[in-house]
């Protein structure tokens, strides 16, 4: 059985009032998630504002997350970048920090050929020589990993172990699993059906806010408690809907801050911050869902 499985929180990246990476708050968030039972962290991914971070900041998130996990949870560091050189530097930094794995979106902006994607991934994977996860997020990258393309990836990248599947084709969950890959659904709203389709677990941002919901779904699924799993999935979907309505990064930062009584800061531009009216709405919704306090 793969060492990569279960509930993986796509962490936010908290900032100080001056807009710098707040290591202390980051540590508080991770520690709270570990105590709630998460199996790992997807560090500096989309929820963590990855493309808005500097290379040094991504490397610091890797260092801090590895130090805090200490064998209690996996640290999967996202290193995707606009340039191959930048991705390689962050991948090397994640390796030196002791990360358990790296993840990477494909090249974006310029429309890459299959060969270009393979060359990019080979360079990044070889630099780190760690278990490697493809981040399949066509909504933002313009690249869809189909079964034929994934077959090419498997042949070309010996470090490839899995994929975070945030693409719309649900059927590819079981197709990729049948190819021997670890598959995490990137949609927290599909945790239960994805597990039933063969996924190893889930990676998403709202898990950071209320990890116990998804930990409960996973445990109920393993125990065969279908009714309990469906009840928790319904609750999870309401939190996902809030993030979709108000913005993933801003929602997760605000609700996590309220829940843990910390200041997570606001997202970096061009991601918008919440208005005061939106904060009031989120507080009301969070209270109604009973997610503003740790159980």
């Amino acid at each position: 059985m793969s060492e990569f499985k279960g509930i993986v929180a796509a962490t936010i990246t908290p900032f100080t009032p001056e807009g710098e990476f707040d290591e202390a708050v980051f540590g508080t968030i991770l520690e709270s998630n570990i105590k709630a039972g998460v199996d790992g962290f997807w560090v500096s991914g989309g929820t963590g504002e990855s493309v808005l971070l500097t290379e040094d900041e991504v490397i610091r998130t890797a260092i801090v997350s590895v130090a805090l996990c200490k064998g209690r949870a996996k640290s999967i560091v996202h290193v995707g970048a606009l340039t191959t050189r930048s991705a390689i530097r962050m991948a090397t930094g994640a390796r030196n920090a002791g990360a358990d794995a790296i993840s990477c979106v494909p090249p974006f902006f310029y429309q890459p050929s299959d060969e270009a994607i393979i060359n990019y991934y080979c360079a990044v994977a070889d630099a780190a020589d760690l278990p490697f996860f493809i981040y399949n997020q066509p909504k933002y990258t313009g690249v869809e990993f189909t079964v034929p393309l994934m077959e090419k990836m498997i042949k070309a990248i010996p470090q490839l172990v899995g994929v975070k599947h945030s693409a719309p084709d649900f059927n590819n969950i079981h197709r990729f699993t049948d190819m021997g890959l670890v598959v995490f659904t990137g949609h927290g709203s599909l945790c239960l059906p994805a597990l039933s389709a063969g996924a190893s677990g889930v990676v998403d941002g709202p898990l950071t806010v209320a990890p116990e919901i998804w930990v409960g779904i996973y445990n109920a699924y393993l125990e065969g408690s279908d009714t309990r799993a469906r009840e928790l999935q319904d609750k999870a979907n309401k939190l996902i809907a809030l993030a979709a309505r108000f913005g993933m990064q801003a929602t997760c930062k605000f609700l996590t801050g309220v829940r843990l009584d910390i200041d997570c800061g606001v997202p970096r531009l061009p991601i918008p911050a919440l208005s005061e009216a939106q904060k009031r709405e989120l507080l009301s919704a969070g209270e109604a869902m009973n997610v503003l306090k740790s159980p």
Side-chain angles (χ1 to χ4, degrees):
M1 180 178 293
S2 172
E3 61 179 316
F4 298 103
K5 60 182 184 299
I7 305 306
V8 178
T11 62
I12 58 176
T13 302
F15 299 129
T16 66
E18 295 74 32
E20 303 298 322
F21 171 46
D22 195 322
E23 296 187 15
V25 170
F26 188 61
T28 298
I29 295 167
L30 267 58
E31 187 65 35
S32 174
N33 276 218
I34 289 172
K35 289 180 178 177
V38 303
D39 298 286
F41 298 98
W42 191 268
V43 180
S44 296
T47 302
E49 303 173 57
S50 59
V51 297
L52 304 180
L53 302 178
T54 67
E55 295 172 16
D56 288 340
E57 285 174 328
V58 170
I59 292 170
R60 284 304 303 170
T61 66
I63 292 170
V64 176
S65 66
V66 168
L68 278 165
C69 287
K70 296 177 181 175
R72 299 181 296 165
K74 298 295 184 184
S75 179
I76 305 172
V77 181
H78 177 257
V79 300
L82 191 60
T83 71
T84 307
R85 178 180 293 181
S86 179
I88 286 174
R89 180 167 181 255
M90 291 186 289
T92 303
R95 179 200 64 202
N96 293 341
D100 295 290
I102 60 170
S103 63
C104 195
V105 291
F108 52 95
F109 187 80
Y110 296 108
Q111 291 299 307
S113 63
D114 288 2
E115 182 181 7
I117 297 171
I118 291 171
N119 291 339
Y120 172 82
Y121 272 153
C122 284
V124 176
D126 288 347
D129 200 23
L130 289 172
F132 185 89
F133 281 84
I134 287 172
Y135 190 174
N136 190 17
Q137 179 55 284
K139 178 180 178 181
Y140 297 111
T141 66
V143 175
E144 169 82 39
F145 283 90
T146 60
V147 169
L149 179 54
M150 195 65 80
E151 288 173 343
K152 295 179 182 179
M153 297 293 120
I154 291 172
K155 292 178 181 178
I157 308 166
Q159 299 90 348
L160 179 59
V161 298
V163 54
K164 178 186 176 184
H165 187 63
S166 298
D169 192 339
F170 188 86
N171 288 319
N172 277 344
I173 291 177
H174 75 80
R175 291 169 182 154
F176 293 156
T177 300
D178 289 345
M179 296 165 71
L181 295 172
V182 173
V183 180
F184 286 108
T185 177
H187 300 290
S189 58
L190 297 178
C191 180
L192 184 56
L195 290 171
S196 299
S200 297
V202 59
V203 178
D204 205 356
L207 278 63
T208 302
V209 178
E212 71 279 356
I213 298 175
W214 282 270
V215 170
I217 294 170
Y218 187 69
N219 290 338
Y221 173 78
L222 294 180
E223 295 164 2
S225 302
D226 294 343
T227 299
R228 177 60 176 162
R230 287 196 298 270
E231 289 173 350
L232 288 170
Q233 184 67 75
D234 288 343
K235 185 174 184 179
N237 291 354
K238 293 177 182 177
L239 185 53
I240 294 287
L242 282 180
R245 178 182 173 191
F246 293 101
M248 178 67 74
Q249 295 81 8
T251 297
C252 291
K253 283 191 166 185
F254 178 70
L255 291 182
T256 299
V258 172
R259 178 176 163 118
L260 299 181
D261 193 24
I262 55 178
D263 184 1
C264 297
V266 297
R268 284 181 177 166
L269 292 173
I271 301 173
L274 297 171
S275 67
E276 292 303 315
Q278 288 174 322
K279 290 178 182 179
R280 289 193 293 270
E281 285 189 69
L282 270 175
L283 275 177
S284 178
E287 288 173 354
M289 292 179 58
N290 195 29
V291 296
L292 297 185
K293 293 182 179 179
S294 299

